[in-house]
Amino acid sequence: MPWRHTRDPYHIWLSEIILQQTRVQQGLPYYQRFIAAFPTVRILSEAKEEEVLRLWQGLGYYSRARNLHACAKTVVQEHNGRFPDNFKDLLKLKGIGRYTAAAIASFAFGEVVPVVDGNVYRVLARLFGITTNIAQPPAFNEFFALASELIDPEQPDTFNQAIMEFGAMHCTPQKPLCLYCPLQAVCYAYQHSMQKDFPVKKKATKVKHRYFHYFIILNPAGEILMRPRPAGDIWRGLYDFYLVEDNTLLDTDAIKDEGIQQLMAKNSILVEESEVYKHQLTHQLLHVKFFVLQASEQALQTFTAERSQLQAFNPAETLALPKPVLIKNVLEKLNF
DNA sequence: AATCCGTGGTC
DNA sequence: TGACCAAGGAT
């Protein structure tokens, strides 16, 4: 890994941001493209945001890219192009939290501060038999305190990399390699055959049910009405169809949206789909029905005038739109 | 504290 | 094949 044997805070910072919730294999090519395009933090800070986002596309968690760009600007404009050299000040930068601040502080500047990531939770929980629920915020302080006692003050960077590497390569989430583990004799989980029980991670899976009534509205030209989803909800910025949401599964004729009612009155309606979609990241269970309707030009004008976000796309154009998986599948099934 | 964000890998 | 998870952070 190209960021492993360096103390350049720019390289370390970039790699750590890319590797947040992301595997090395997936992030490595992005790291290489970013370094090639932006050799220094100053060059990155002078880039356009669209250019940064374009290089980031496909990697996910896109706020990381926006924060990355904002952080580069701050470093250049307020810190003379040099990253802060300590944990406390690094924490103030956008996109840098407790893990990333500790990683940069220890790797680049040798500060004695432990990283606490998913690997550290797992390794320490197994080793010491810690039953604290790591999904709860207070868990961080406990593991941070324990790691602070364990960290080697002479080589904090090596300690931090070692414990994460050990977690990633050896003390893995599933099928840890206990058979030839040097910590067998002192590992609580191994001694009690409880590897699968650590770390304790209870994820308050309150599944939220939502009922989406999608309307695939076609105008006389055969175009489809779509709109980008608003902020503050799932699929922000991705395109989907006009929808009516209600907490109860509505009957076709019980829908309250007046505009839709008018369209339905004047046009035939087909129920094309009815299925359940699980949004696993946010534990939402979406109950979805799809209606297809042909709208007359006149009815359509009234309808869209009240919903300025809606745009008409021909089917070929919709292929180029960023769509939620659900919508993509529907379009494919409907042969659009 | 709870919720949101994304793609890809594993078993 | 569905459930779980990954070198987290912001709001």
Side-chain angles (χ1 to χ4, degrees):
Chain A
M1 290 175 273
W3 53 80
R4 177 62 59 88
H5 299 288
T6 177
R7 298 184 80 85
D8 183 337
Y10 174 60
H11 290 174
I12 292 168
W13 165 70
L14 179 60
S15 71
E16 291 300 340
I17 299 296
I18 288 176
L19 291 180
Q20 286 167 4
Q21 298 292 102
T22 304
R23 296 172 189 279
V24 170
Q25 188 177 351
Q26 188 187 358
L28 181 55
Y30 285 85
Y31 174 82
Q32 292 167 334
R33 286 195 288 268
F34 266 82
I35 289 298
F38 313 115
T40 69
V41 66
R42 187 172 297 276
I43 294 174
L44 174 58
S45 75
E46 291 165 353
K48 290 184 180 177
E49 187 179 89
E50 303 94 75
E51 191 182 357
V52 177
L53 284 168
R54 187 177 54 77
L55 265 184
W56 196 274
Q57 66 179 327
L59 196 54
Y61 282 133
Y62 297 97
S63 62
R64 285 186 295 173
R66 286 186 283 267
N67 287 336
L68 183 85
H69 192 218
C71 181
K73 288 190 167 183
T74 302
V75 167
V76 168
Q77 292 169 10
E78 297 181 21
H79 298 275
N80 215 359
R82 281 192 289 273
F83 278 84
D85 64 357
N86 63 84
F87 179 75
K88 185 166 163 287
D89 291 330
L90 284 163
L91 263 181
K92 297 173 184 170
L93 294 171
K94 275 195 172 183
I96 297 182
R98 296 173 299 192
Y99 164 76
T100 307
I104 299 172
S106 64
F107 298 160
F109 304 111
E111 183 172 345
V112 183
V113 55
V115 290
V116 177
D117 70 341
N119 291 310
V120 175
Y121 278 127
R122 186 171 57 255
V123 170
L124 296 185
R126 283 175 175 163
L127 195 53
F128 295 95
I130 299 169
T131 56
T132 304
N133 180 9
I134 65 167
Q136 296 294 105
F140 175 85
N141 291 329
E142 181 179 347
F143 282 82
F144 185 85
L146 175 56
S148 297
E149 293 179 25
L150 297 172
I151 193 170
D152 183 351
E154 298 299 319
Q155 33 183 350
D157 50 343
T158 302
F159 176 90
N160 280 338
Q161 291 208 9
I163 192 168
M164 287 195 293
E165 183 88 353
F166 179 66
M169 306 298 293
H170 203 100
C171 193
T172 48
Q174 287 121 17
K175 296 193 170 188
L177 307 177
C178 303
L179 210 57
Y180 46 97
C181 178
L183 299 177
Q184 255 189 22
V186 293
C187 178
Y188 181 95
Y190 178 79
Q191 292 297 327
H192 295 80
S193 298
M194 293 175 68
Q195 294 94 321
K196 289 182 69 176
D197 299 323
F198 294 104
V200 175
K201 190 175 185 180
K202 290 182 181 175
K203 33 164 176 92
T205 46
K206 265 196 308 181
V207 176
K208 184 180 178 184
H209 292 253
R210 302 178 69 179
Y211 298 86
F212 284 5
H213 303 261
Y214 274 114
F215 292 89
I216 306 170
I217 303 169
L218 305 172
N219 66 16
E223 294 174 323
I224 306 170
L225 293 189
M226 297 187 81
R227 57 95 199 260
R229 289 187 58 83
D233 202 354
I234 57 172
W235 300 327
R236 184 180 66 181
L238 303 187
Y239 279 75
D240 69 352
F241 310 122
Y242 178 74
L243 76 81
V244 175
E245 179 173 5
D246 197 289
N247 288 335
T248 59
L249 198 54
L250 295 176
D251 273 324
T252 304
D253 45 297
I255 288 169
K256 295 164 187 168
D257 186 292
E258 287 186 16
I260 279 289
Q261 280 182 353
Q262 288 176 10
L263 289 182
M264 288 164 67
K266 295 178 181 176
N267 303 278
S268 61
I269 300 161
L270 295 173
V271 178
E272 289 288 344
E273 294 284 334
S274 183
E275 59 181 65
V276 174
Y277 177 81
K278 291 177 185 174
H279 195 259
Q280 56 189 61
L281 196 60
T282 57
H283 305 114
Q284 296 188 40
L285 203 56
L286 307 182
H287 303 256
V288 183
K289 281 190 173 181
F290 290 97
F291 303 85
V292 176
L293 50 95
Q294 293 276 354
S296 70
E297 194 60 56
Q298 190 183 358
L300 206 56
Q301 279 178 9
T302 308
F303 183 77
T304 54
E306 298 170 1
R307 297 162 179 80
S308 54
Q309 279 193 318
L310 285 170
Q311 292 176 261
F313 297 94
N314 69 47
E317 281 178 298
T318 68
L319 295 176
L321 297 174
K323 296 177 290 286
V325 171
L326 184 59
I327 304 306
K328 194 177 165 194
N329 291 344
V330 169
L331 287 173
E332 284 170 1
K333 282 183 192 169
L334 295 179
N335 241 343
F336 283 133

